[in-house]
Amino acid sequence: MKRSRILAAGLAASLATAAFVPQATAEVTRGALLTTSCFSCHSIDGTGNMPGLVGYPRDLMISQMQAFKDGSRPGTIMNRHARGYTDEEIVLMADYFSTIE
């Protein structure tokens, strides 16, 4: 009887732990990691002084970042930030922003 309680407790603990594993191992995308610095100026909820990026059209974001990067769009700080990203990274960031609400 005592042994069956120990087994039941072990099974319950295993099931409880298994319920948390998907959250603990959720993959953080490279695009999500790249955008973490964006939120220091662009607030997540769009209440900051800079334009909100959540819900910003993906293709427009890519074209604007490319314009900052190649200097065709003047900027005070965005042109310096954009130059540090590859074209692939700009697409990854735009893809990520298009997925969050």
Side-chain angles (χ1 to χ4, degrees):
M1 183 77 153
K2 188 175 182 180
R3 188 174 194 170
S4 64
R5 285 184 185 173
I6 292 172
L7 287 173
L11 178 61
S14 295
L15 291 173
T17 302
F20 292 106
V21 169
Q23 292 177 350
T25 60
E27 182 179 340
V28 176
T29 65
R30 186 167 171 227
L33 290 174
L34 288 167
T35 61
T36 55
S37 65
C38 300
F39 292 116
S40 62
C41 295
H42 299 270
S43 63
I44 271 183
D45 59 3
T47 59
N49 292 330
M50 299 296 149
L53 298 176
V54 174
Y56 204 83
R58 177 192 177 275
D59 292 340
L60 184 57
M61 182 174 290
I62 292 170
S63 69
Q64 295 306 299
M65 285 290 287
Q66 291 292 349
F68 281 124
K69 183 178 176 182
D70 67 19
S72 61
R73 180 176 174 180
T76 57
I77 222 161
M78 278 307 302
N79 51 351
R80 287 183 269 162
H81 281 287
R83 273 189 241 134
Y85 295 113
T86 66
D87 293 344
E88 177 195 11
E89 291 170 334
I90 289 171
V91 170
L92 289 172
M93 290 189 300
D95 286 345
Y96 175 70
F97 276 119
S98 71
T99 64
I100 57 176
E101 297 175 7

